[in-house]
Amino acid sequence: MTESESLPVVSASGVVAQRQPGQVALDGLRNFQDLILNRLNELGLPTEDVLVTLNQRHALLQTTEHALAALNDEQRARSAYIAKMIMAGSVGLFDAALNYLWDETVIELRKRVIGYDLTYFYAVAETSQSRRNELKTAEDLIKLDDAKLLSGARQIGLISDVGYRQIDHIRFMRNYASAAHPNQVTLSGLQLADWLETCIREVITLPHNTVVAEIKKLLVNVQAARLDSSYLAQAALFFKGLPVEQADTLARGLFGVYTTIGGEPHALDNIRELWPKLWPYVSEDIRFWAGTRLARFLANADQAQAALARQLIDLVQGGSYLPEEIKVTELAEAIEDLLNVHLAWDNFYNEPRVARRLAELVGQHGAVPENLVRQYVKTLVTVFLTNGHGEAVAADPIYLDLIGRFDPEQASLALRSFANAEISSQLQRPLSQKKWSELLNVIDVKITGRPERELLEAVREFPGTPDKLRLESGIKRYLAALPN
């Protein structure tokens, strides 16, 4: 008998009727249910609210075939947990069925991760360094909780953003409505069938997109052998077209691979080559994340990993993205070093190197910790005014750039710096006087408060040389009106 044929049924009056296949299935479920419930009753076990209603089970079985349509023969043959899900659902144990569906989803997701790049995946999925140290092989995937597995798969592009949200909802329901924990949540047959279709569509049969495929190829090549110049040039073009989120994920992964102890020398060389090419396309969040990772290594006394992390940060002059506690120490040292080399006999040679380091730490926004602002401004004004005998030509553009990053508070301090005895002494020299005028022109637009504007005009109108400014009574009154 084919599926479309009806079954003859003889009624109590002797009239022959046709019984439809759906009714046959429903009757079969009912007979099986009666058998099971009678046995439970004989054993003295509860029978109320143990099984889902027949109609809900029937709805699940009726819609399951549609959900399975996307699977090919090979995929169906290996889907043991889907078979268990349908079996549990047909019996009336929907909470167990949801467990089996999630098991199938996790198994397929792990297969995708293993086929991609485990080291890269672990670097992205697990943010805790201590826990990530335990994740090395495919067998270690079971140590990663489902939420991180799912999130990591989304971040490296193995599942879509939409798919992630849908699958994460199923994960939530599995945790709170399945047999994994005692609960009072009621599931429907249509819900289960819909979730089955979602898992098949968004995980089991979801094709890799081209960006994910290219990133996988890149990761394989990075760890296989030393990359040549032509491949590096192609990689740079690839980075330029990456969506920011994918660039961020790739940066997290490469950073994690690089800072994992025991990396192959050629792989580390390749990452050092690629890192500066990728850096322009990553977000500010990822840049600060790299600095935070360094701080964590240091806090955990992971000195070897801290050294590796610092190599990547220094490679892209990323000092401004270091956490405050690290930046304060290094910035204070850089300010002191700059003043020391400026006062030394070979300052023209040494100043550019230290100035570049200071600029790296300050960053493009000119951010300086509050407790270092006065020292920073005074030192920068001092070196910009020169030693009176000549300019450090290579350093001067760096100083101008840093002064150009002053905020109004820093500009106000620079304007008032003539009141400092050491700077006033510098201003006796003609070259320093010329640089002082240049400084005033740069900070003019940054002077916003009325008292500061009035002081700026008085300084410019002062008829004497700038080294005499601090002694003039009118200038002193303007200074007294300003906050210390």
Side-chain angles (χ1 to χ4, degrees), residues 396-448:
D396 193 62
I398 303 173
Y399 299 148
L400 276 172
D401 180 51
L402 289 172
I403 293 169
R405 302 180 203 179
F406 277 176
D407 61 22
E409 178 192 358
Q410 294 166 346
S412 176
L413 291 172
L415 171 63
R416 290 179 275 165
S417 63
F418 65 82
N420 179 274
E422 295 171 357
I423 291 178
S424 180
S425 178
Q426 280 184 270
L427 290 174
Q428 298 177 74
R429 304 169 186 132
L431 177 57
S432 298
Q433 292 172 3
K434 175 186 173 186
K435 299 297 287 183
W436 173 254
S437 296
E438 188 178 351
L439 172 68
L440 295 181
N441 289 334
V442 175
I443 65 174
D444 186 318
V445 70
K446 301 174 184 298
I447 302 298
T448 56

Side-chain angles (χ1 to χ4, degrees), residues 79-91:
S79 299
Y81 282 100
I82 290 180
K84 290 184 178 184
M85 172 210 166
I86 295 172
M87 180 65 72
S90 67
V91 173

Side-chain angles (χ1 to χ4, degrees), residues 90-302:
S90 67
V91 173
L93 300 175
F94 278 15
D95 50 0
L98 180 53
N99 253 5
Y100 288 130
L101 172 59
W102 186 250
D103 289 343
E104 187 70 46
T105 304
V106 167
I107 287 171
E108 288 295 329
L109 206 49
R110 287 173 179 167
K111 287 178 182 177
R112 283 186 169 238
V113 167
I114 293 169
Y116 193 71
D117 187 281
L118 270 176
T119 304
Y120 175 67
F121 172 77
Y122 286 144
V124 170
E126 180 52 80
T127 57
S128 169
Q129 188 60 44
S130 60
R131 287 193 291 268
R132 191 155 65 81
N133 289 339
E134 301 175 1
L135 304 175
K136 294 180 175 62
T137 67
E139 288 71 25
D140 294 328
L141 276 171
I142 61 174
K143 300 176 184 176
L144 201 66
D145 65 53
D146 293 347
K148 289 182 177 179
L149 173 69
L150 193 58
S151 176
R154 181 197 66 80
Q155 290 182 71
I156 65 175
L158 292 182
I159 56 177
S160 68
D161 287 345
V162 173
Y164 168 77
R165 288 193 290 271
Q166 293 175 329
I167 299 297
D168 193 50
H169 173 67
I170 298 171
R171 181 189 66 83
F172 175 84
M173 294 303 294
R174 181 262 179 188
N175 287 343
Y176 294 99
S178 76
H181 307 285
N183 67 87
Q184 301 297 321
V185 180
T186 300
L187 302 175
S188 73
L190 292 179
Q191 275 181 312
L192 275 179
D194 180 60
W195 291 341
L196 171 61
E197 183 179 18
T198 297
C199 291
I200 290 172
R201 181 182 67 248
E202 300 297 341
V203 175
I204 300 174
T205 62
L206 182 70
H208 296 308
N209 62 43
T210 55
V211 172
V212 173
E214 286 299 318
I215 290 177
K216 178 180 179 180
K217 187 191 302 182
L218 171 66
L219 294 170
V220 170
N221 291 337
V222 161
Q223 297 178 70
R226 189 75 169 86
L227 301 177
D228 60 30
S229 57
S230 63
Y231 187 93
L232 292 169
Q234 291 174 0
L237 291 176
F238 173 62
F239 295 158
K240 189 175 182 179
L242 278 178
V244 173
E245 185 171 336
Q246 289 283 14
D248 285 356
T249 301
L250 180 56
R252 264 195 300 266
L254 291 178
F255 190 94
V257 172
Y258 190 87
T259 56
T260 298
I261 302 301
E264 293 291 335
H266 67 263
L268 300 184
D269 288 345
N270 289 334
I271 294 174
R272 280 192 289 266
E273 290 276 7
L274 293 169
W275 188 251
K277 296 176 173 59
L278 178 62
W279 187 255
Y281 306 108
V282 302
S283 69
E284 291 289 286
D285 287 345
I286 287 300
R287 295 177 179 185
F288 282 111
W289 171 86
T292 302
R293 296 298 293 173
L294 170 60
R296 286 186 184 178
F297 290 143
L298 292 172
N300 295 332
D302 296 324

Side-chain angles (χ1 to χ4, degrees), residues 7 9 18-30 58:
L7 296 174
V9 179
Q18 295 297 110
R19 196 165 68 177
Q20 298 300 316
Q23 183 62 43
V24 173
L26 197 57
D27 289 345
L29 291 175
R30 182 179 291 108
H58 190 238

